[in-house]
Amino acid sequence: MSPELLQAVFDNSETATVILREDGLIVKVNNRFASWCGESKNDIEGNRLFLDYIPADLQAEVKDYLKAEVQEYLLQPETEENGTHIRKEIELVAKQRVLTVLMHLFTLEQPGIRGISLVDITDRKTHEQALEQEKEKAQHSEQLKSAFLANMSHEIRTPINSIVGFADLLRLENISPQKRALYVDYVINGSNDLLMLIEKITTIARLDSGQFRISNREFDLNAKMKDIETRYREELDSRKKEHISLTFSPPDPGNAFMITADPMRISEVLSNLLENALKFTESGTIEFGYQLQKEKGGNDALLFFVKDTGLGIDPSNEHAIFERFVKFIEKEETIFKGAGLGLAICKGIVELSGGRIWVESHKGEGARFYFTYPLAQHPRRKHPGTGAEPAGTAFMDWHTKEVLIAEDAESNYLFIKELISPTRIKVLRARDGMEAVELFQNNPSIDIVIMDVLMPKMDGYEATRKIREIRPEIPVIAQSAFTFEGDIRDGLYAGSFNDYIMKPYTRKVLLAVINKYLSGKQS
């Protein structure tokens, strides 16, 4: 083969090739290497060292490798097994970017001269790294799944054991009234624990799938916070922690504080934080409230806080507690109930709302949780109205009123009927949406409708629209097992329902909502 042909093969090879001296000076390169470097061959040959194209932090390693490998190679006889190439993966600086290349080291007949061929494997390495990341992600997902199943198995079986066990004991004939009342309390408490767990699992699933929504509307924040305060005062009593002081601290307690936000989301975050405070506080105080503040861009935001004098948290764990399934046990003999999802839910909701959440704490000194909630509109204060409060629900007499209950499940219908029976209200029952429309059309004396959202033949939304075509002013109360207020509120804003109650609910909740419309005190 002629020298000219050999030169052409060398220059036009797809493999970058470099000929250099023992001191590292480049003697000759082909077109591929010059193209990588963005320089002409004349600028490189005789003027540049091979190490000039190696990242600074790797130059010493590559220099030692080249020297050691060549010496080792020269001491070995050339055989079919060891071949004539010594390979190493290195990085090469080319046109202000770094390539990952596979370096093939070979010797030449001319003393003091060696050759290097370089194959670009950057894309392959990037692909391998991506695959490795996906593998790690999949393994992490499997670990989370295993942790989830392990936690849920324990957390679900615990309340179910209480519900089934004590419900079975209630069937015994020879038990005292005191024991019967105690067993009923265990069944109710176990049911509430199970419901809370199901809601948390549902919330996590909706957050993960991107189906979780923020549904803003105007409401009185002070009234919402007072409702939360009342609920957790009752919790303190039921947990025999009446000695703990619970305080709601609003900046302007005398007036209504009207904001546009999602009341259910704010309530959900505060409830999880207060639940934690109740769980880990045995004495002292729990305080919660909010402050109005300005963000960096000048927009309004609310800063909520929940402070307690409980066990506290080691500062090294302040970030970890917002991860799923994380539970810190203070003492080996003390295990606190919970699936380790509450604070993870708080973090997900707050960040979805555009805010942030954090904790300040020291072990044994209580904890102070904070979260921000950006506001799209400036809040407004207004003086409380002078109208009479809605009547209580204990001694209502609705014997002149008539209610249509649209409910396909027999047990649910019987439950509602039992709840409202003390009021002596007349009850009509529809088993599906079509029957509800027909009954309403044939009974003009109906004063209010309780409408299940999901029913056979015709759902609650469609049935309510048809009912409104007959009498637009009739109050329709939705009842649903949806755990997200926005799902029902879409029906409110679309003109379907006047109000809603979420399953499960109590007699107090149901009668209060009905009374709001039968008494004419709508809000």
Side-chain angles (χ1 to χ4, degrees):
M1 186 178 292
S2 67
E4 292 79 8
L5 185 56
L6 286 174
Q7 184 66 45
V9 171
F10 175 80
D11 283 338
N12 297 295
S13 172
E14 289 295 314
T15 300
T17 307
V18 181
I19 308 299
L20 66 159
R21 298 188 322 206
E22 286 185 349
D23 60 5
L25 183 70
I26 295 175
V27 177
K28 197 169 188 61
V29 297
N30 68 350
N31 293 337
R32 173 63 64 182
F33 186 84
S35 174
W36 281 359
C37 301
E39 303 175 45
S40 70
K41 291 196 290 184
N42 290 336
D43 290 335
I44 298 172
E45 295 172 349
N47 298 308
R48 303 293 297 272
L49 298 173
F50 179 68
L51 291 179
D52 292 343
Y53 300 100
I54 304 298
D57 58 329
L58 299 177
Q59 288 182 4
E61 177 187 348
V62 172
K63 183 178 180 181
D64 291 343
Y65 172 81
L66 290 175
K67 181 179 179 181
E69 289 294 337
V70 169
Q71 290 176 346
E72 180 183 350
Y73 173 78
L74 291 176
L75 291 174
Q76 295 179 358
E78 182 176 329
T79 66
E80 186 176 345
E81 286 74 23
N82 64 35
T84 58
H85 295 78
I86 301 172
R87 296 175 174 84
K88 181 175 177 63
E89 190 178 294
I90 64 168
E91 290 183 342
L92 190 78
V93 178
K95 286 186 181 178
Q96 306 304 314
R97 67 190 183 101
V98 177
L99 298 177
T100 302
V101 298
L102 189 61
M103 179 175 68
H104 299 248
L105 185 64
F106 58 93
T107 58
L108 298 170
E109 294 180 357
Q110 185 175 348
I113 299 295
R114 70 194 63 168
I116 299 174
S117 64
L118 305 159
V119 178
D120 184 3
I121 59 171
T122 305
D123 291 343
R124 190 186 82 188
K125 292 296 293 184
T126 301
H127 182 63
E128 288 175 354
Q129 290 169 0
L131 288 176
E132 185 63 28
Q133 290 173 356
E134 288 299 318
K135 179 182 175 183
E136 291 176 359
K137 194 191 259 184
Q139 290 173 341
H140 181 62
S141 178
E142 279 299 313
Q143 290 170 355
L144 282 178
K145 181 180 176 182
S146 298
F148 174 81
L149 292 175
N151 275 274
M152 290 308 99
S153 176
H154 175 267
E155 296 300 330
I156 290 174
R157 287 175 181 272
T158 300
I160 284 181
N161 182 65
S162 179
I163 295 166
V164 174
F166 286 104
D168 189 52
L169 289 176
L170 285 169
R171 301 167 71 179
L172 299 174
E173 295 181 1
N174 299 321
I175 56 174
S176 66
Q178 293 81 5
K179 278 191 175 182
R180 188 176 297 276
L182 179 64
Y183 295 168
V184 169
D185 285 342
Y186 280 130
V187 171
I188 292 173
N189 291 337
S191 301
N192 289 335
D193 289 344
L194 186 59
L195 175 64
M196 187 180 301
L197 177 61
I198 291 170
E199 288 180 344
K200 287 181 177 180
I201 294 171
T202 306
T203 301
I204 284 288
R206 294 288 287 269
L207 284 167
D208 285 347
S209 64
Q211 297 179 18
F212 198 93
R213 294 181 298 167
I214 302 298
S215 301
N216 293 330
R217 66 178 175 89
E218 189 178 55
F219 68 99
D220 180 1
L221 179 59
N222 282 346
K224 172 62 73 174
M225 300 285 272
K226 287 175 183 175
D227 287 344
I228 295 173
E229 180 186 24
T230 300
R231 175 154 45 103
Y232 280 93
R233 284 192 186 281
E234 293 174 356
E235 279 290 311
L236 284 172
D237 290 341
S238 68
R239 300 186 192 193
K240 311 299 183 188
K241 291 187 175 184
E242 309 95 323
H243 56 283
I244 297 176
S245 172
L246 176 66
T247 306
F248 165 47
S249 302
D252 188 5
N255 295 321
F257 191 74
M258 308 302 295
I259 66 169
T260 299
D262 190 324
M264 189 173 185
R265 302 304 165 228
I266 290 175
S267 177
E268 194 167 357
V269 175
L270 285 171
S271 294
N272 275 302
L273 295 179
L274 285 167
E275 184 70 29
N276 257 27
L278 263 64
K279 186 188 300 183
F280 297 110
T281 302
E282 293 300 327
S283 63
T285 62
I286 298 173
E287 180 188 4
F288 74 104
Y290 68 92
Q291 299 170 356
L292 182 64
Q293 65 177 23
K294 292 286 185 183
E295 295 191 309
K296 289 182 179 179
N299 296 325
D300 292 312
L302 292 172
L303 173 65
F304 291 92
F305 60 85
V306 175
K307 305 175 182 179
D308 66 64
T309 57
L311 295 176
I313 303 162
D314 191 300
S316 63
N317 296 325
E318 288 180 359
H319 294 291
I321 60 170
F322 293 103
E323 299 299 322
R324 297 178 190 182
F325 314 121
V326 171
K327 296 165 67 176
F328 293 106
I329 299 175
E330 181 68 16
K331 301 176 183 177
E332 288 186 3
E333 67 271 17
T334 305
I335 299 178
F336 296 99
K337 290 196 306 180
L341 294 175
L343 291 179
I345 288 172
C346 290
K347 183 173 183 286
I349 294 174
V350 169
E351 291 181 351
L352 189 64
S353 305
R356 64 188 187 94
I357 186 169
W358 70 97
V359 62
E360 297 173 358
S361 181
H362 288 282
K363 211 168 181 181
E365 298 179 10
R368 299 170 299 282
F369 284 88
Y370 300 90
F371 71 93
T372 60
Y373 194 104
L375 297 176
Q377 299 180 19
H378 188 71
R380 59 188 182 92
R381 293 175 174 84
K382 67 176 185 179
H383 295 290
T386 57
E389 289 296 314
T393 61
F395 304 102
M396 293 174 183
D397 186 354
W398 292 333
H399 74 278
T400 62
K401 304 295 184 181
E402 191 169 353
V403 59
L404 171 61
I405 301 174
E407 172 61 70
D408 61 308
E410 188 70 20
S411 59
N412 287 343
Y413 164 69
L414 292 174
F415 176 66
I416 298 171
K417 186 179 178 182
E418 184 65 28
L419 291 184
I420 63 177
S421 62
T423 69
R424 299 195 297 165
I425 193 170
K426 182 180 177 182
V427 176
L428 292 177
R429 192 263 179 104
R431 290 171 173 79
D432 56 63
M434 290 180 64
E435 188 179 359
V437 175
E438 183 180 346
L439 280 172
F440 186 81
Q441 192 167 20
N442 296 331
N443 293 272
S445 57
I446 291 173
D447 296 287
I448 191 168
V449 179
I450 298 176
M451 182 72 70
D452 189 28
V453 173
L454 294 180
M455 290 186 295
K457 297 185 180 179
M458 182 186 294
D459 66 29
Y461 292 100
E462 182 64 23
T464 301
R465 282 193 288 270
K466 290 185 178 296
I467 284 173
R468 293 213 182 280
E469 291 174 3
I470 303 169
R471 282 169 56 195
E473 78 286 354
I474 187 74
V476 181
I477 312 301
Q479 52 137 355
S480 174
F482 284 124
T483 56
F484 290 85
E485 189 179 26
D487 296 329
I488 301 300
R489 197 181 301 142
D490 288 344
L492 299 180
Y493 291 163
S496 296
F497 311 122
N498 296 82
D499 218 320
Y500 62 93
I501 47 178
M502 309 294 290
K503 297 177 182 178
Y505 47 82
T506 63
R507 171 177 284 163
K508 179 179 178 182
V509 170
L510 177 61
L511 295 186
V513 174
I514 295 175
N515 181 68
K516 186 163 63 170
Y517 295 93
L518 291 187
S519 66
K521 294 181 174 63
Q522 301 180 26
S523 60

